[in-house]
Amino acid sequence: MTTGLHPGGPPQDPRPTDDPAPPRQERVGPAPLHADNRTRSSVITARAAASFDPVGRSVATARSFVRDTLQGWGFADIVDDAVVLTSELVTNAVVHAGTSADVLCLRSDEGVRIEVADRYPEREIPLQASAVNMGSPDREGGRGLQLCAALAGHWGVEYSPTHKQVWFQLDLPERPVGTRTAGPSLPAELLPLADGRVRVAVVQIDRTAAISAWNEDAEDLFGYAAEQVTGKPLTDLAAWPHTPGTSTGIAEALQLSRWEGSYGIRGASGRVIAVYASHLRVRDTEGEPSTVCLLVRDHERAVLQTPLRASATDTTTSSEGQATDTFEVFIGSPAPDDLDGLLQRTVERARDMLDGDSAFLLLATDDETELEVRASTGLPSARQRFARVPVEAGPGRYGSARMPAVHEDLTVVPGAVPLLGGTGMRSVVTVPLKVEGRLTGSLGVAAESPARYSNEEALRLQFAADRIALAVESARLGELERLRRGSLSFLVEASDLLAGTLDRDQTLALMAQMTVPTLATWCAVYTIADQASDPFLSYVLHEDEERIDGLKALLSKIAPPDPVPTPGARVWPAPAAAAHQAALRTSMRSLGLGERPPVSSGIGTTLATAAAVGGETVVLPLVARNRVIGMLTLGKPSDEHFRQEILELAEDLSRRAALALDNARLYSERTAISQSLQRSLLPPELPHVEGVEVEVIYRAAGEGNEVGGDFYDLFPIRDGAYGFAIGDVCGTGPEAAAVTGLARHALRLLAREGFGGPAVLERLNSAILDEGARSRFLTLLYGELWPQEDGSAVLKVVCAGHPLPLRLRQDGTVEAAAEPQPLLGVMEDLELYEQTVTLDPGDVLLCVTDGVTERREGTRMLGDDGLADVLTTCTGLTAGAVAARVMRAVERFASDAPSDDMAILAMRVPGLQVD
């Protein structure tokens, strides 16, 4: 916001000089009452201007600007109407039009003219003679003009291609010349007592807050000569705390157009002198902002203090001569289904109507046992929003919810209105919101001074509450229905996400990400491994990623919540208490009052982290299969509360998340067991064969499978001799893996007992058939390898129904190295024989399973011929390079992922390398 105050001087046109066209003016209402040239022709004695950004808080700032300006000019009689009209017009500009608002206050000898302009870029300029129909008072829009017609003596609307300006003039009431406001006549004994001659210190402050003028009365009151204080900041002499119940500091007070209040001035003797001050912001002869301060002793405040403003009148007269209640005119501007907007507008209008310092509105729960704070103005709303207080009984009960009540001084009846505790409010009027005799809420207006309200104000507020109660209840029911639909949609989406993973860590992350920031500002998930284990902090998330580490450090230092299986959310005060203590220690260290933490202490808890955790924290148990497996902890920043609807939604989510987390745990346990068993079926490691290169590539089909129906093995039989095997059990998965284990271990045992290849396979065939219904047929290539001293290797192989091994010679020719024989697990009597193959230096023997040769792309299949073609390109390659090239060719043959297990065993006798 930018402001400027211009006392005196000729009138200046506030519009830009470079407007492309002169403004058009539209008269609204009867001509005799709206002669728009009267103020323009009057002598302007002072003006104040301000610009406000297009944000919601600008409306409250604009009200304060107009209130301070008019009070500074001594126009307390018309402040109420001016504030109400300005509030409505600025709302139209910054909220509805979405542009900045320019407010200009002009003081003349006839009254005050206030102009509010917005800068809507695509406004249609109405015709000069077009009549404007404001419509029914019950319609949603256009209430700003109706207010002007109801309250202002003169008003109008001016359009240009760049902006729209609504102005109104409030005439001053007739009163004797020289009187600012009239007070009652008092007996002499009740008049304020002055200590000798009343001295009024006049102190002028320049724009830097330094003292530029200091009169004789100031020297007498405080003991400083003018030359001792000139040029020094007034803040060096001012002793605060300031006026009780206000939040304005001395520096801020000096920037206001008008301010009154109490503070202290340190005199030359060092003693603090309590003074009552009146600050008026002006401009000096050079046009620079300056503040004039009038100060008297605090007990002589009657000299300067503005008397309390009288209550606004009950009704105003509209242009048609009918009595119209102001609240009735301007309430209802928000859409009927905009509950938050309706409630906020209600409390703002109620506060303005009764000239209060704050207002609040609470809605009742369905059973009418509690009231929930839903809107407030002039109060710390972040702390109060969604807080709940009981209606009838219990600590902090709301004792006056069902009937209108006036509390003249809350210090006499502390706790009568719990949410006003510690706010500095002294007097309050509260009225119930009722629909068909049922309590639906409570509306209240409070002030910092005692004895501010009477039964008359309570009746006016009750009338307004009766007019708005039905609309509020209708909007509340609409919001509740939207929340329920949104909750169902949220839970459906959450269930889909949680059902889409069986990974424990991913489930924890999803739980936290679904709650932050939708349900809470931060979230922590504790898990419990078993009944004998303590809760473990497994996952922490905050909507601000920079605070996650500090939050995790804070939660790690406090004991976890108790794993109580009782359903529902329960408050956990430990994080807020720990955050408060951490913030206190940090503040003390910054002031040098505590020990510095050691450098090696790691991430410390900062004040920002303490503020993030200082609000309400709730814990929901994660219960699955009648066991508490963890806790879901949700938190809000400092002084915030959870809505009951949010807690109920979080409870539904916790039930689904607990089942998903337990399913992920069970899946992880079973996967770990399965993988451990599968790994036991694979050879621990391949032995080193002197004079022969050996390379194996193994791929099991199916997610989570490390071993399938294909298997391989290479093991020493006796000195200088090695057994090798590659086989394929019918099918894939754990059932095939069971036969794989039988075959691999039987081969090792029988070979080391001294049986030859045919005898080994015949006995293995009998063992498979003995499995009965669990048996599966098996193709197997088994051989024995003897490295020779001349660099060659002799192999004896038996190929029982398996793809034939291929031999690659150094000249690039490829040939089958064995003949096909019957597979195992089908017939009882097998007659197998072995064949001898000699690998010369540089030769390669390639053995594969049918997952390689039966690789398909549509109707095409790689086959034995395709594999042979790939092998012809491997001349001179090492065994590892041969296996890798074959696997790469198989993967590239088809775009789909392999659907069958694959194993490749390549053995090469080293020879001369060929480029």
Side-chain angles (χ1 to χ4, degrees):
M1 182 189 77
T2 57
T3 62
L5 184 65
H6 313 280
Q12 302 177 10
D13 193 342
R15 296 185 299 272
T17 57
D18 57 350
D19 277 353
R24 292 176 178 267
Q25 189 173 58
E26 175 188 356
R27 288 192 181 99
V28 184
L33 290 179
H34 306 287
D36 58 4
N37 59 351
R38 297 181 63 184
T39 301
R40 289 294 187 185
S41 62
S42 303
V43 176
I44 304 300
T45 58
R47 67 176 62 231
S51 296
F52 302 91
D53 296 330
V55 293
R57 62 176 180 273
S58 294
V59 179
T61 311
R63 287 197 299 264
S64 299
F65 165 72
V66 171
R67 185 185 298 277
D68 292 339
T69 299
L70 298 191
Q71 288 180 354
W73 288 346
F75 294 158
D77 308 74
I78 60 174
V79 163
D80 301 329
D81 291 344
V83 167
V84 168
L85 293 175
T86 303
S87 179
E88 185 67 31
L89 298 179
V90 172
T91 299
N92 291 340
V94 303
V95 176
H96 302 304
T99 73
S100 59
D102 300 327
V103 179
L104 176 64
C105 301
L106 301 174
R107 183 181 70 184
S108 68
D109 52 353
E110 296 183 356
V112 173
R113 171 175 170 137
I114 297 178
E115 303 175 355
V116 179
D118 64 46
R119 301 185 178 277
Y120 193 74
E122 300 177 354
R123 189 180 308 285
E124 179 181 356
I125 303 176
L127 299 177
Q128 177 72 25
S130 63
V132 175
N133 179 18
M134 289 185 292
S136 168
D138 296 327
R139 71 177 189 142
E140 182 176 333
R143 297 184 182 275
L145 301 184
Q146 294 181 2
L147 274 177
C148 291
L151 301 180
H154 311 277
W155 65 283
V157 183
E158 299 177 356
Y159 288 89
S160 78
T162 59
H163 68 271
K164 167 192 169 185
Q165 177 177 283
V166 180
W167 64 269
F168 60 88
Q169 176 178 310
L170 299 174
D171 297 329
L172 297 177
E174 295 184 2
R175 57 188 180 186
V177 178
T179 61
R180 177 177 180 182
T181 184
S185 59
L186 297 176
E189 59 272 12
L190 297 180
L191 295 175
L193 181 63
D195 184 12
R197 182 174 69 85
V198 176
R199 291 178 173 82
V200 179
V202 181
V203 182
Q204 190 160 357
I205 313 300
D206 62 20
R207 66 181 308 164
T208 65
I211 299 173
S212 59
W214 184 268
N215 72 342
E216 293 181 358
D217 280 359
E219 295 181 6
D220 292 339
L221 282 174
F222 309 121
Y224 297 107
E227 56 271 14
Q228 291 179 278
V229 296
T230 301
K232 293 183 177 181
L234 180 62
T235 53
D236 290 353
L237 304 180
W240 291 70
H242 42 70
T243 303
T246 68
S247 58
T248 304
I250 181 66
E252 292 83 359
L254 294 175
Q255 298 297 319
L256 298 176
S257 59
R258 177 65 186 268
W259 185 89
E260 288 185 17
S262 301
Y263 54 90
I265 294 290
R266 293 187 181 87
S269 62
R271 183 171 57 89
V272 175
I273 303 169
V275 298
Y276 188 86
S278 175
H279 299 173
L280 177 63
R281 192 142 170 93
V282 296
R283 289 200 306 169
D284 59 20
T285 55
E286 298 179 356
E288 292 294 326
S290 177
T291 302
V292 176
C293 304
L294 306 179
L295 301 94
V296 297
R297 293 183 179 90
D298 193 64
H299 65 272
E300 297 172 345
R301 62 170 58 196
V303 176
L304 300 179
Q305 187 172 18
T306 301
L308 292 176
R309 297 182 292 275
S311 304
T313 57
D314 289 343
T315 58
T316 55
T317 304
S318 66
S319 57
E320 290 80 9
Q322 298 175 347
T324 305
D325 186 88
T326 306
F327 199 90
E328 181 184 354
V329 172
F330 58 57
I331 201 61
S333 330
D337 58 350
D338 180 13
L339 179 61
D340 288 337
L342 180 61
L343 299 183
Q344 192 62 34
R345 182 67 62 89
T346 299
V347 296
E348 291 176 358
R349 298 304 184 259
R351 178 199 59 189
D352 294 342
M353 183 178 71
L354 297 188
D355 194 24
D357 297 306
S358 65
F360 52 89
L361 192 149
L362 303 90
L363 293 184
T365 56
D366 292 338
D367 57 5
E368 300 182 24
T369 59
E370 290 183 307
L371 292 170
E372 184 179 63
V373 181
R374 292 299 304 270
S376 64
T377 181
L379 295 173
S381 57
R383 173 170 66 89
Q384 304 295 345
R385 188 165 169 79
F386 302 126
R388 289 194 169 199
V389 292
V391 175
E392 301 294 350
R397 68 185 183 90
Y398 198 108
S400 54
R402 299 189 183 277
M403 296 292 293
V406 177
H407 298 280
E408 295 185 348
D409 194 343
L410 291 177
T411 59
V412 179
V413 283
V417 184
L419 74 156
L420 295 182
T423 62
M425 300 298 159
R426 296 284 299 276
S427 54
V428 61
V429 53
T430 61
V431 297
L433 295 174
K434 292 185 177 182
V435 175
E436 297 180 351
R438 183 173 60 87
L439 179 68
T440 60
S442 178
L443 176 64
V445 178
E448 295 176 355
S449 56
R452 184 70 170 273
Y453 301 114
S454 63
N455 291 337
E456 180 183 0
E457 284 80 8
L459 291 175
R460 295 186 61 226
L461 190 62
Q462 184 66 72
F463 176 75
D466 292 341
R467 295 300 305 269
I468 199 63
L470 185 58
V472 169
E473 180 66 5
S474 175
R476 187 186 73 85
L477 293 176
E479 181 196 61
L480 186 59
E481 180 62 26
R482 288 192 298 274
L483 282 174
R484 287 174 178 168
R485 289 198 300 266
S487 298
L488 290 175
S489 176
F490 173 80
L491 291 174
V492 168
E493 182 179 359
S495 299
D496 289 342
L497 290 173
L498 292 171
T501 179
L502 287 172
D503 182 82
R504 175 182 177 276
D505 293 337
Q506 189 173 2
T507 302
L508 290 172
L510 284 174
M511 290 171 57
Q513 292 167 7
M514 283 185 293
T515 56
V516 176
T518 305
L519 305 181
T521 304
W522 63 269
C523 168
V525 182
Y526 291 84
T527 56
I528 303 174
D530 52 62
Q531 297 294 338
S533 301
D534 293 329
F536 176 74
L537 182 61
S538 299
Y539 201 90
V540 175
L541 184 65
H542 193 284
E543 64 180 4
D544 184 354
E545 293 183 356
E546 296 180 356
R547 298 187 181 180
I548 293 178
D549 291 336
L551 175 58
K552 186 181 299 182
L554 179 67
L555 294 177
S556 300
K557 295 177 183 178
I558 61 178
D562 296 330
V564 178
T566 306
R570 70 181 192 275
V571 177
W572 184 33
H580 175 75
Q581 292 299 323
L584 180 61
R585 289 193 299 269
T586 301
S587 300
M588 292 179 65
R589 285 196 297 266
S590 66
L591 297 174
L593 302 178
E595 296 181 0
R596 294 286 179 180
V599 177
S600 60
S601 62
I603 300 174
T605 303
T606 63
L607 292 175
T609 302
V613 189
E616 187 174 65
T617 302
V618 297
V619 177
L620 298 104
L622 298 175
V623 181
R625 298 176 175 90
N626 298 321
R627 187 174 71 89
V628 179
I629 63 172
M631 285 87 70
L632 178 64
T633 304
L634 307 179
K636 286 282 191 179
S638 293
D639 298 329
E640 287 199 16
H641 297 267
F642 284 96
R643 296 184 60 179
Q644 186 63 27
E645 294 85 354
I646 296 298
L647 294 179
E648 293 172 357
L649 181 59
E651 186 177 356
D652 285 339
L653 175 64
S654 68
R655 287 194 290 266
R656 290 165 169 79
L659 187 59
L661 184 61
D662 200 46
N663 288 338
R665 177 188 63 83
L666 294 174
Y667 177 77
S668 299
E669 291 177 356
R670 283 156 177 72
T671 300
I673 295 172
S674 174
Q675 291 176 348
S676 177
L677 292 175
Q678 290 183 53
R679 282 192 293 269
S680 69
L681 300 178
L682 293 176
E685 60 181 9
L686 294 178
H688 173 69
V689 180
E690 188 70 29
V692 179
E693 297 175 0
V694 180
E695 183 66 28
V696 173
I697 296 179
Y698 182 83
R699 300 282 175 84
E703 183 180 358
N705 291 330
E706 295 189 19
V707 176
D710 291 6
F711 68 96
Y712 68 92
D713 202 357
L714 178 66
F715 54 91
I717 301 176
R718 49 190 172 269
D719 293 340
Y722 295 86
F724 67 90
I726 183 169
D728 184 3
V729 178
C730 174
T732 60
E735 295 82 1
V739 180
T740 296
L742 171 64
R744 192 174 70 81
H745 291 294
L747 285 175
R748 287 196 173 208
L749 178 63
L750 294 171
R752 287 172 177 171
E753 288 293 324
F755 293 98
V760 169
L761 268 60
E762 289 170 1
R763 284 165 172 76
L764 176 60
N765 180 65
S766 299
I768 294 175
L769 293 175
D770 288 343
E771 291 293 312
R774 296 181 299 175
S775 66
R776 289 170 177 260
F777 62 82
L778 167 67
T779 67
L780 180 63
L781 173 66
Y782 174 75
E784 296 178 354
L785 169 66
W786 283 275
Q788 303 298 309
E789 294 181 357
D790 61 358
S792 63
V794 175
L795 294 85
K796 293 182 178 181
V797 297
V798 179
C799 186
H802 199 78
L804 299 179
L806 299 179
R807 176 182 181 180
L808 171 66
R809 295 183 182 274
Q810 276 198 326
D811 59 3
T813 59
V814 176
E815 61 184 7
E819 296 177 354
Q821 299 184 59
L823 52 77
L824 308 180
V826 178
M827 299 180 294
E828 293 185 359
D829 297 326
L830 289 179
E831 294 184 2
L832 303 174
Y833 59 91
E834 62 184 8
Q835 297 173 274
T836 302
V837 180
T838 300
L839 295 181
D840 296 325
D843 289 354
V844 175
L845 184 69
L846 178 66
C847 309
V848 301
T849 59
D850 61 3
V852 174
T853 56
E854 295 179 3
R855 177 73 163 150
R856 294 178 180 275
E857 175 69 20
T859 59
R860 297 187 306 117
M861 186 174 71
L862 179 63
D864 295 333
D865 294 338
L867 179 61
D869 292 339
V870 175
L871 187 58
T872 58
T873 66
C874 299
T875 305
L877 298 181
T878 64
V882 171
R885 179 169 291 187
V886 171
M887 178 57 73
R888 188 162 55 250
V890 172
E891 291 175 340
R892 291 178 177 177
F893 187 80
S895 57
D896 295 337
S899 60
D900 194 5
D901 303 328
M902 293 187 295
I904 299 174
L905 171 62
M907 292 183 291
R908 177 178 180 270
V909 179
L912 297 176
Q913 298 292 329
V914 179
D915 294 334

